[in-house]
Amino acid sequence: MSSNSFAYNEQSGGGEATELGQEATSTISPSGAFGLFSSDLKKNEDLKQMLESNKDSAKLDAMKRIVGMIAKGKNASELFPAVVKNVASKNIEIKKLVYVYLVRYAEEQQDLALLSISTFQRALKDPNQLIRASALRVLSSIRVPIIVPIMMLAIKEAAADLSPYVRKNAAHAIQKLYSLDPEQKEMLIEVIEKLLKDKSILVAGSVVMAFEEVCPDRIDLIHKNYRKLCNLLVDVEEWGQVVIIHMLTRYARTQFVSPWREDDGLEDNEKSFYDSDDEQKEKTDKRKKPYTMDPDHRLLIRNTKPLLQSRNAAVVMAVAQLYWHISPKSEAGIISKSLVRLLRSNREVQYIVLQNIATMSIQRKGMFEPYLKSFYVRSTDPTMIKTLKLEILTNLANEANISTLLREFQTYVKSQDKQFAAATIQTIGRCATNISEVTDTCLSGLVCLLSNRDEIVVAESVVVIKKLLQMQPAQHGEIIKHMAKLLDSITVPVARASILWLIGENCERVPKIAPDVLRKMAKSFTSEDDLVKLQILNLGAKLYLTNSKQTKLLTQYILNLGKYDQNYDIRDRTRFIRQLIVPNEKSGALSKYAKKIFLAQKPAPLLESPFKDRDHFQLGTLSHTLNAKAAGYLELSNWPEVAPDPSVRNVEVIDLAKEWTPAGKAKNENPTKKFYSESEEEEDSSDSSSDSGSESGSESGEEDEEGDSSEDSSEDSSSEPESESGHQSDTENRRAAKRNSKTKGKGDSKDGKKENEKSKTSDSSNAESSSVEESSSDSESESESESESESRKVTKEKEKKAKQDRNRLATDASLLDLDDFNPVSTPVALPTPALSPSLIADLEGLNLSTSSSVISPLRT
Amino acid sequence: MRAPESKCTVERGGFFQAVGKAIYWALQLRGPHGLLSCLSLRPERTRRRITDRPRSWAQEKAADVENVPPVISTPHHYLISIYRDKLFFVSVIQTEVPPLFVIEFLHRVADTFQDYFGECSEAAIKDNVVIVYELLEEMLDNGFPLATESNILKELIKPPTILRSVVNSITGSSNVGDTLPTGQLSNIPWRRAGVKYTNNEAYFDVVEEIDAIIDKSGSTVFAEIQGVIDACIKLSGMPDLSLSFMNPRLLDDVSFHPCIRFKRWESERVLSFIPPDGNFRLISYRVSSQNLVAIPVYVKHSISFKENSSCGRFDVTIGPKQNMGKTIEGVTVTVHMPKVVLNMNLTPTQGSYTFDPVTKVLTWDVGKITPQKLPSLKGLVNLQSGAPKPEENPSLNIQFKIQQLAISGLKVNRLDMYGEKYKPFKGVKYVTKAGKFQVRT
């Protein structure tokens, strides 16, 4: 390591420095730090000289030292002119370091920074996409207001760049420009709108990020891209996935109706659902009438499911919150397994995930019950993790598992971590109140703890016992006596106060003990904590009212002590009590009611989870973690009563057609899954000889199998590449057709029926085919234009009637059971290792078109 | 958006800073509008340093670093931190962002440092300031993660090696890649292009860990098997691999490296993927909880503290159980003794033990367990006189390792390669380890 440090250190002591650098640094020993220089000034002179040398190595060395200075928090701004000169350096490392420097100091030295702008403008036109991208990156990071127009122009151009990588950087630049000059918002939204249409997986995440930053309220921009985003999601890089999923969650909550309405009794129903078919029919019929899920809603839920398998905890959490917030309650169960998996991760991830589970487990216990034991505490967990686990265990406790849990809690109570032990006692108290069967068991357990050696444990037990007794005060005289004895030994103020309060409250049940306790307390009054003093006063007052014969003098003595106490709260309370209980001529009407006031029936405290009120925050957000609204938090809206027009998400097929190449089409029509498996078999037989040839062979073979539906679409698309004008008119036709269908949909019931039939046909094609074929019909219908599916309708009409009943059942069942669904597939990676670059490019295009394509609007 | 003016006076260390919608890194905001730096320093110093700025961190009552909450709210910012290898990595957030997004990214940064410098320590980071800056520059743009795949990063910035630093000094070349990486642009962003090896090899390590809590009487409270398959792939070109298992049903819950084709797994339970180059984690999995977990070791223990006397007895014996005929090795027992324990006088029949009187941690390095002679550790415990005897006996944390065995019974069936013509050398290794294996006493 030490030899490395020579080479990469800011000191040029190693062999790295040549000539000039050597001269410059010859005055210091390699191990010497900057402190050895007589002054900063002189050192900077050296650096300047090195920067002006014509040797790259010297320049590089100087830049490294400068970056080292920045890292140490030293001011290197006066080197600005010397550094900026090197912005055009051919050496990539120098260039990068100059960029680092520029971004850091440009805002301070605006005039000089302008010198570098022309270099970037030139680089923006470079034939190399990576150079264009990095120029845009740095240009947009320079926070100099004068260049805002230049940046705007550069962003606009980059957004139209052929390279998706440059477009991705354009999306990043949008956010930077927006934070520099919010007045550009309108123009930037235009760029965002354009980039949202982009089909590259590289761009998707970045542009959604820009959308969230600049115009999160412009939900209308998403409509047309919704299906594309859903389909692309699996292939987007993981960070983009998180952002997109969060955005789509918000979107779904504004555009679809709630799938929860009927779900209240569902959990019970669900079990019987698996029991017999008759019941299933009944149930699905019942369900069908009030609610049918929008296919787009289903698409999102279905396409996010695979991401639960992501290695990235943030992605898993994002999907989990999506399921929590927008999927039918019966389906949300699948997320628990993945969330529990995350608990194996490092403590930070555990912390956040446990918090979210805590919130979920309050509302839907059933979800995490099977994983109860995963929340058992280990003595090596950090305390914050322990308490969170405890919280979840409490939420999950029910009649069935409480005895196991209590046994587990017994171990925790003895923990060396006293803070945790105290939390466990609280937990036991909560379990006791929630589950009436075990209240007595818990209470006797807690009473045992009163003889514990550790004061914190005892004090906590007293407090919890107090709360428990308050709920059922009738039959616990013994416990109160036991606690009264504890007053001699226990010193924690909260516990003492609790005991006194308990005795006061139950003074009529322990008539012999109560006055004696008061006597003892009167003796030690002056040395007690304020908290305890207040309770002594209360005890005195209560005894005075119930047993004035014995305690009148004692109480008056205590009131006198309280009158001259240093604490004004206590003096106030004393005055108040005296007026209330001691009858004199001045006392008003209230004193008549003193007994009622002091010995009123008090409502028992509710022992509630601290996570109870967190559910109004979207899960997985910073706001949820903090339980406070963070800046920039976007509320999840409530489900709309009536779904907004779903046709806004329909997309014209123009762009699709453009992307299509003959090779791409073949692939597009084959569901990826099938494609893999087919080529797999081929490859198995011919083993290592498999290459692009055999693959394309299998592709074409499959194309034939596809049958009429693929012919349809191939006819359709084959005409498109021919001429641009033809193509245009084609799309015009489609638009018209689409407009027709739209108006049809909105029209009177007869037309509506027609529309209905159409959607049924596509349904029937779904239902009749196996899951594999189903996805193929999906992609096929994606590729079709509206008008074409109209024509298909005729051919399928016959089948339709026969299968209508079955179809109904099938669709409904699939609404319930997610596993029946086969997600519209976009390949995770292309299995084309040996293909030529051009082919790869083709495939890339096709991949995009697959993903950009959209399920035709089914309405059931 | 920007942070308020505040001069940053970090004299050393401190590289990574984040502000803005998500993560933003150090350089851009240091100084004039920087607020505090992320500090890659030892915890005690960190705590003091951060104390200077956002008060809430200072108010952190956490006596030990383990309990610093990962998310802290300050009047103007939110601090999200991770703690790794005795360093805090902090990012400063101004607006709403999923906390796991930041945490996951910070871990990725730490992983990258580890990968580049061999260790993720303060010294390593300080020695490589420039590379750290270059790396962060590539990993983040305006708070949004850019390139986090190690394959791409290594193409952009070459990791430091002794050899390269010598070569660089002679030829004057740099550690920044001359060729611009294409991986970022492709559909397979995790693999770099043009990989070439003379020996083509693919190794898979199936590592399973047993998490268990054993109670006082020796019965299992909770046991679970978690596994990972780590791969080391050195294959030329663009190999397309598929790995199949004899018994894939065992895998209950799996998380994948992005390279794996989800659909193939769903339909055929085959892992099909174009691998990244080098070392990476292919999958992590949990074995379904219906299967009973075979616990390979048992522990006999009797730990007692006498009332009103300053000593106690300690006796622990460890033995094999259901080990499937394999040797259990690398056994270590760690015990966090109660605070009142002053010292321990023990005699091991095998291995050696140490007791740290400051942290009160007893470590017994046992080694291999031979069934003929069971290792035990016996002796006296000295307690602080006058102090009450400890309430609870400490729990024992046990580590062990069993080579050539996947305790769940998972078996790799075969590995096939498509897309390349050469014959690779293939290997699979199985190891079972103790994960969080705790015995309550």
Side-chain angles (χ1 to χ4, degrees):
Chain A
M1 214 62 253
S2 68
S3 58
N4 285 346
S5 67
F6 269 153
Y8 296 98
N9 236 355
E10 57 279 23
Q11 307 148 12
S12 53
E16 206 177 354
T18 54
E19 289 144 0
L20 260 173
Q22 204 89 52
E23 272 170 44
T25 54
S26 58
T27 49
I28 48 162
S29 70
S31 60
F34 291 134
L36 282 181
F37 285 100
S38 50
S39 73
D40 271 4
L41 209 84
K42 187 172 167 244
K43 172 192 66 189
N44 289 347
E45 281 307 315
D46 296 342
L47 288 171
K48 272 183 200 160
Q49 273 181 16
M50 287 162 74
L51 285 170
E52 272 155 32
S53 88
N54 44 14
K55 287 270 194 314
D56 272 358
S57 54
K59 286 182 181 175
L60 185 57
D61 195 38
M63 282 317 296
K64 283 184 174 171
R65 282 171 55 186
I66 292 169
V67 170
M69 283 166 70
I70 298 174
K72 288 183 174 158
K74 289 190 180 161
N75 190 354
S77 62
E78 61 161 2
L79 290 162
F80 201 92
V83 175
V84 166
K85 279 179 204 157
N86 290 302
V87 75
S89 169
K90 292 257 183 322
N91 182 309
I92 293 177
E93 190 168 17
I94 296 179
K95 205 176 202 162
K96 278 193 173 154
L97 293 176
V98 172
Y99 286 177
V100 166
Y101 182 91
L102 252 182
V103 171
R104 162 68 184 77
Y105 283 112
E107 205 169 353
E108 282 175 41
Q109 311 252 354
Q110 306 214 347
D111 292 342
L112 286 169
L114 293 178
L115 294 176
S116 61
I117 303 298
S118 63
T119 317
F120 294 124
Q121 281 179 303
R122 223 175 303 129
L124 282 170
K125 304 263 187 293
D126 196 281
N128 185 325
Q129 49 177 340
L130 287 154
I131 292 179
R132 290 200 300 276
S134 87
L136 181 63
R137 239 179 99 183
V138 181
L139 181 67
S140 55
S141 300
I142 296 175
R143 296 177 55 83
V144 179
I146 303 173
I147 62 163
V148 165
I150 298 176
M151 271 161 79
M152 195 64 227
L153 202 69
I155 290 173
K156 275 186 177 165
E157 275 177 23
D161 200 288
L162 281 177
S163 151
Y165 185 65
V166 177
R167 297 201 297 272
K168 180 191 179 74
N169 277 279
H172 287 173
I174 290 172
Q175 303 164 54
K176 296 186 226 172
L177 180 54
Y178 180 64
S179 76
L180 178 63
D181 182 7
E183 282 178 16
Q184 303 293 318
K185 187 172 175 179
E186 286 313 311
M187 297 243 272
L188 288 174
I189 290 177
E190 280 171 33
V191 184
I192 288 175
E193 193 173 358
K194 192 173 165 197
L195 283 174
L196 275 172
K197 294 199 181 102
D198 205 296
K199 289 177 199 64
S200 165
I201 53 168
L202 275 176
V203 184
S206 305
V207 70
V208 172
M209 187 78 190
F211 170 84
E212 293 278 81
E213 180 94 331
V214 179
C215 51
D217 46 338
R218 289 290 303 276
I219 213 87
D220 56 299
L221 296 181
I222 302 300
H223 292 321
K224 291 263 179 271
N225 304 296
Y226 172 82
R227 290 172 194 164
K228 181 195 72 189
L229 285 173
C230 287
N231 287 319
L232 278 182
L233 198 55
V234 191
D235 293 334
V236 175
E237 36 87 38
E238 43 198 352
W239 311 109
Q241 286 171 345
V242 178
V243 178
I244 295 175
I245 292 171
H246 273 271
M247 189 276 290
L248 288 179
T249 310
R250 265 191 319 119
Y251 179 87
R253 283 290 278 258
T254 62
Q255 298 300 318
F256 306 125
V257 288
S258 167
W260 299 343
R261 224 166 275 162
E262 247 225 304
D263 280 350
D264 297 332
L266 195 85
E267 286 205 349
D268 314 38
N269 281 348
E270 208 188 13
K271 273 166 203 153
S272 59
F273 162 71
Y274 294 107
D275 287 349
S276 75
D277 284 3
D278 295 9
E279 263 184 49
Q280 178 189 346
K281 235 182 249 168
E282 226 176 81
K283 190 167 134 33
T284 46
D285 283 348
K286 236 195 293 169
R287 269 176 62 82
K288 165 145 192 169
K289 266 174 233 155
Y291 172 71
T292 318
M293 188 183 270
D294 188 306
D296 287 327
H297 190 173
R298 169 56 64 198
L299 176 76
L300 175 60
I301 293 173
R302 193 204 301 151
N303 280 13
T304 45
K305 190 185 168 200
L307 297 181
L308 280 174
Q309 239 91 27
S310 172
R311 63 168 172 174
N312 188 319
V315 177
V316 178
M317 189 66 233
V319 179
Q321 66 84 24
L322 178 128
Y323 266 78
W324 177 259
H325 289 295
I326 73 162
S327 84
K329 286 184 175 157
S330 54
E331 287 171 28
I334 58 165
I335 63 174
S336 33
K337 195 193 271 183
S338 308
L339 287 178
V340 170
R341 184 186 72 227
L342 295 185
L343 297 181
R344 274 281 291 184
S345 192
N346 45 61
R347 69 171 189 113
E348 294 87 11
V349 174
Q350 276 186 46
Y351 178 76
I352 305 288
V353 172
L354 284 171
Q355 274 193 330
N356 284 292
I357 292 179
T359 303
M360 293 188 209
S361 60
I362 292 175
Q363 284 181 41
R364 304 184 202 163
K365 278 188 183 193
M367 268 174 73
F368 291 96
E369 244 178 60
Y371 304 99
L372 185 73
K373 287 190 172 176
S374 303
F375 302 108
Y376 278 9
V377 174
R378 291 159 209 283
S379 60
T380 41
D381 287 333
T383 308
M384 60 178 185
I385 300 290
K386 284 180 187 163
T387 37
L388 278 170
K389 282 185 173 173
L390 209 53
E391 175 62 40
I392 294 167
L393 288 175
T394 321
N395 293 338
L396 295 180
N398 58 23
E399 286 83 358
N401 57 27
I402 186 68
S403 55
T404 333
L405 275 181
L406 282 179
R407 215 172 307 131
E408 185 70 14
F409 289 158
Q410 274 172 23
T411 324
Y412 301 167
V413 167
K414 284 186 270 174
S415 164
Q416 291 173 36
D417 181 347
K418 289 305 164 200
Q419 203 189 333
F420 170 59
T424 308
I425 294 166
Q426 293 266 13
T427 301
I428 296 175
R430 266 176 59 198
C431 289
T433 52
N434 296 341
I435 304 164
S436 51
E437 281 94 331
V438 292
T439 310
D440 288 336
T441 327
C442 290
L443 203 53
S444 56
L446 288 170
V447 172
C448 289
L449 286 177
L450 290 178
S451 49
N452 194 290
R453 206 174 283 106
D454 191 275
E455 192 154 59
I456 302 168
V457 172
V458 178
E460 200 68 44
S461 312
V462 169
V463 175
V464 173
I465 289 175
K466 180 204 112 185
K467 287 181 183 164
L468 284 180
L469 290 188
Q470 200 178 341
M471 283 181 291
Q472 31 173 233
Q475 67 278 48
H476 295 297
E478 279 306 309
I479 295 176
I480 295 169
K481 277 179 206 161
H482 183 86
M483 289 172 79
K485 273 182 222 153
L486 275 177
L487 266 182
D488 297 336
S489 54
I490 204 165
T491 59
V492 178
V494 194
R496 288 177 76 83
S498 293
I499 296 175
L500 289 173
W501 184 89
L502 251 184
I503 294 171
E505 227 18 45
N506 298 288
C507 54
E508 281 168 299
R509 279 187 206 92
V510 282
K512 286 187 184 149
I513 295 172
D516 193 50
V517 170
L518 188 66
R519 178 186 62 80
K520 281 186 196 161
M521 288 299 112
K523 237 168 35 182
S524 62
F525 185 86
T526 45
S527 57
E528 296 287 354
D529 190 274
D530 290 345
L531 204 62
V532 186
K533 284 178 181 169
L534 287 175
Q535 289 308 328
I536 298 174
L537 288 170
N538 281 344
L539 176 65
K542 285 169 190 167
L543 282 172
Y544 187 94
L545 292 170
T546 55
N547 186 2
S548 64
K549 217 198 284 169
Q550 273 184 306
T551 57
K552 191 173 177 185
L553 287 172
L554 260 179
T555 309
Q556 267 170 356
Y557 172 68
I558 290 170
L559 288 176
N560 280 336
L561 286 176
K563 192 174 172 183
Y564 298 106
D565 198 89
Q566 285 186 323
N567 185 305
Y568 48 76
D569 273 344
I570 292 167
R571 293 199 300 274
D572 269 3
R573 178 73 66 90
T574 312
R575 216 168 291 136
F576 164 74
I577 288 175
R578 189 188 291 275
Q579 288 300 319
L580 261 182
I581 62 171
V582 183
N584 58 8
E585 60 279 10
K586 267 192 282 175
S587 64
L590 265 181
S591 58
K592 267 185 261 168
Y593 301 105
K595 192 165 180 179
K596 274 190 183 165
I597 292 172
F598 277 103
L599 291 167
Q601 192 71 37
K602 282 143 190 121
L606 273 175
L607 300 178
E608 275 183 340
S609 161
F611 283 83
K612 196 161 177 60
D613 54 343
R614 290 204 185 187
D615 53 354
H616 59 275
F617 290 113
Q618 186 176 1
L619 289 182
T621 59
L622 184 62
S623 305
H624 174 267
T625 300
L626 297 167
N627 198 15
K629 209 171 190 167
Y633 173 72
L634 301 165
E635 293 276 356
L636 266 188
S637 67
N638 282 325
W639 296 101
E641 283 297 313
V642 181
D645 182 15
S647 63
V648 290
R649 284 183 292 275
N650 296 353
V651 187
E652 295 105 276
V653 207
I654 354 168
D655 304 313
L656 259 186
K658 262 188 209 160
E659 294 268 352
W660 272 24
T661 58
K665 188 189 67 205
K667 174 88 188 291
N668 190 16
E669 266 141 30
N670 298 338
T672 359
K673 194 176 109 194
K674 203 167 179 180
F675 164 68
Y676 277 141
S677 54
E678 284 283 314
S679 59
E680 168 75 15
E681 278 161 26
E682 286 253 347
E683 280 158 354
D684 268 342
S685 56
S686 60
D687 212 47
S688 64
S689 70
S690 77
D691 55 24
S692 61
S694 77
E695 266 173 36
S696 61
S698 72
E699 271 168 29
S700 58
E702 273 207 20
E703 200 187 350
D704 292 342
E705 286 170 36
E706 275 296 312
D708 57 355
S709 65
S710 77
E711 266 166 42
D712 272 1
S713 46
S714 61
E715 268 171 28
D716 192 43
S717 58
S718 58
S719 66
E720 276 155 23
E722 281 173 16
S723 73
E724 194 58 26
S725 61
H727 166 90
Q728 291 254 320
S729 64
D730 205 25
T731 50
E732 277 305 310
N733 286 342
R734 283 171 191 196
R735 276 196 191 138
K738 203 186 141 199
R739 239 172 274 132
N740 279 342
S741 73
K742 256 189 208 168
T743 48
K744 246 184 258 161
K746 283 172 193 161
D748 62 338
S749 59
K750 277 176 193 171
D751 282 7
K753 201 178 163 194
K754 218 178 184 182
E755 175 84 359
N756 224 358
E757 276 170 4
K758 186 185 116 196
S759 56
K760 267 179 195 160
T761 36
S762 42
D763 255 358
S764 65
S765 72
N766 266 352
E768 74 199 9
S769 49
S770 70
S771 64
V772 175
E773 273 169 312
E774 184 200 317
S775 69
S776 84
S777 78
D778 269 357
S779 57
E780 153 220 303
S781 53
E782 282 155 21
S783 56
E784 289 163 0
S785 67
E786 296 272 321
S787 57
E788 193 205 298
S789 72
E790 200 82 45
S791 69
R792 256 187 66 216
K793 179 186 81 185
V794 186
T795 62
K796 298 241 171 150
E797 199 101 42
K798 295 163 210 159
E799 299 167 18
K800 184 198 73 187
K801 275 172 195 164
K803 285 174 179 160
Q804 211 158 18
D805 293 359
R806 216 180 95 202
N807 154 29
R808 238 187 179 184
L809 255 179
T811 34
D812 287 340
S814 53
L815 275 182
L816 287 170
D817 192 354
L818 200 70
D819 289 335
D820 284 355
F821 263 89
N822 224 27
V824 173
S825 51
T826 46
V828 175
L830 288 169
T832 51
L835 298 188
S836 68
S838 65
L839 243 175
I840 287 180
D842 281 347
L843 288 169
E844 188 173 3
L846 111 242
N847 181 20
L848 303 179
S849 66
T850 312
S851 20
S852 61
S853 54
V854 164
I855 292 196
S856 71
L858 310 177
R859 240 161 288 142
T860 45
Chain B
M1 270 308 286
R2 289 287 153 147
E5 293 261 320
S6 67
K7 270 275 182 288
C8 196
T9 52
V10 179
E11 71 280 9
R12 53 209 294 254
F15 302 106
F16 180 75
Q17 179 184 47
V19 162
K21 173 76 182 179
I23 311 151
Y24 213 119
W25 72 279
L27 295 178
Q28 293 161 352
L29 291 186
R30 177 68 49 76
H33 33 229
L35 36 146
L36 89 151
S37 47
C38 141
L39 307 160
S40 336
L41 295 173
R42 279 189 220 98
E44 64 274 21
R45 253 191 290 162
T46 309
R47 223 179 308 143
R48 200 198 56 223
R49 185 88 31 74
I50 296 181
T51 310
D52 303 343
R53 283 293 127 72
R55 284 281 159 217
S56 67
W57 188 294
Q59 286 153 4
E60 205 35 66
K61 56 189 177 291
D64 61 311
V65 287
E66 283 274 285
N67 275 319
V68 175
V71 182
I72 295 173
S73 173
T74 77
H76 302 287
H77 307 96
Y78 309 102
L79 306 179
I80 298 186
S81 64
I82 63 162
Y83 179 63
R84 252 178 72 158
D85 303 322
K86 300 192 175 157
L87 297 176
F88 274 107
F89 293 79
V90 183
S91 98
V92 184
I93 304 296
Q94 280 191 313
T95 53
E96 173 64 51
V97 61
L100 276 182
F101 186 92
V102 183
I103 288 170
E104 189 77 15
F105 179 78
L106 289 174
H107 275 290
R108 214 56 79 76
V109 170
D111 287 341
T112 308
F113 290 168
Q114 174 95 37
D115 195 19
Y116 265 73
F117 312 133
E119 53 166 358
C120 185
S121 67
E122 186 184 352
I125 290 172
K126 273 194 202 155
D127 287 347
N128 296 290
V129 178
V130 174
I131 295 190
V132 165
Y133 267 64
E134 286 169 350
L135 278 174
L136 289 176
E137 176 82 30
E138 295 300 337
M139 292 179 83
L140 268 181
D141 183 18
N142 191 39
F144 197 74
L146 216 52
T148 47
E149 284 296 335
S150 101
N151 264 246
I152 292 182
L153 284 171
K154 284 196 173 149
E155 239 179 310
L156 287 164
I157 300 152
K158 298 195 179 92
T161 60
I162 296 168
L163 183 69
R164 182 164 304 119
S165 66
V166 173
V167 172
N168 283 358
S169 65
I170 297 167
T171 60
S173 64
S174 68
N175 58 322
V176 168
D178 298 333
T179 48
L180 295 158
T182 46
Q184 235 167 333
L185 310 173
S186 79
N187 266 346
I188 310 161
W190 54 83
R191 186 170 179 90
R192 60 193 179 92
V195 183
K196 210 148 178 65
Y197 288 102
T198 41
N199 294 323
N200 289 294
E201 313 165 305
Y203 297 108
F204 295 89
D205 288 357
V206 180
V207 184
E208 295 197 335
E209 294 194 353
I210 305 174
D211 286 359
I213 301 176
I214 312 285
D215 79 357
K216 236 178 209 156
S217 57
S219 55
T220 309
V221 177
F222 165 76
E224 182 174 73
I225 300 172
Q226 305 264 2
V228 295
I229 298 182
D230 284 331
C232 175
I233 308 275
K234 294 180 174 173
L235 297 175
S236 315
M238 277 284 168
D240 192 341
L241 304 178
S242 56
L243 184 76
S244 60
F245 298 101
M246 306 278 272
N247 39 9
R249 297 266 158 239
L250 276 176
L251 308 184
D252 182 33
D253 183 41
V254 192
S255 77
F256 297 126
H257 189 274
C259 69
I260 292 173
R261 297 181 183 106
F262 182 71
K263 307 242 59 183
R264 274 296 291 280
W265 174 256
E266 279 293 273
S267 57
E268 299 165 57
R269 300 275 145 180
V270 167
L271 297 175
S272 152
F273 56 99
I274 296 173
D277 184 42
N279 294 307
F280 66 101
R281 175 151 298 173
L282 187 65
I283 63 169
S284 345
Y285 60 88
R286 194 175 61 217
V287 175
S288 60
S289 41
Q290 284 91 12
N291 296 34
L292 277 180
V293 180
I295 305 288
V297 294
Y298 70 87
V299 180
K300 272 195 275 181
H301 50 80
S302 100
I303 303 172
S304 59
F305 304 105
K306 273 184 220 137
E307 195 70 61
N308 300 325
S309 99
S310 59
C311 72
R313 295 202 61 79
F314 184 93
D315 184 352
V316 170
T317 308
I318 191 162
K321 171 184 159 190
Q322 295 173 305
N323 59 345
M324 330 245 170
K326 301 273 198 282
T327 333
I328 302 170
E329 48 186 43
V331 181
T332 319
V333 181
T334 317
V335 192
H336 289 263
M337 299 301 286
K339 287 198 181 67
V340 292
V341 173
L342 281 183
N343 215 333
M344 304 184 78
N345 275 316
L346 306 171
T347 22
T349 58
Q350 184 186 332
S352 60
Y353 83 98
T354 54
F355 177 73
D356 183 343
V358 180
T359 56
K360 314 284 182 199
V361 175
L362 167 75
T363 316
W364 176 27
D365 193 352
V366 185
K368 221 181 263 181
I369 298 183
T370 42
Q372 292 77 29
K373 190 164 164 275
L374 296 180
S376 69
L377 182 68
K378 271 182 213 169
L380 289 179
V381 183
N382 295 323
L383 303 178
Q384 214 171 317
S385 56
K389 76 161 191 158
E391 193 66 36
E392 185 202 28
N393 286 338
S395 46
L396 316 173
N397 294 299
I398 296 176
Q399 286 300 319
F400 56 79
K401 210 161 142 186
I402 307 170
Q403 300 283 4
Q404 291 154 19
L405 172 75
I407 196 86
S408 69
L410 187 75
K411 266 214 137 42
V412 172
N413 184 22
R414 55 180 297 163
L415 175 74
D416 297 308
M417 186 180 73
Y418 309 106
E420 294 289 336
K421 299 244 187 290
Y422 54 82
K423 281 256 172 267
F425 187 81
K426 303 177 271 194
V428 181
K429 204 170 83 184
Y430 299 92
V431 184
T432 296
K433 288 181 186 170
K436 295 169 177 169
F437 197 102
Q438 206 159 77
V439 180
R440 291 175 178 165
T441 58

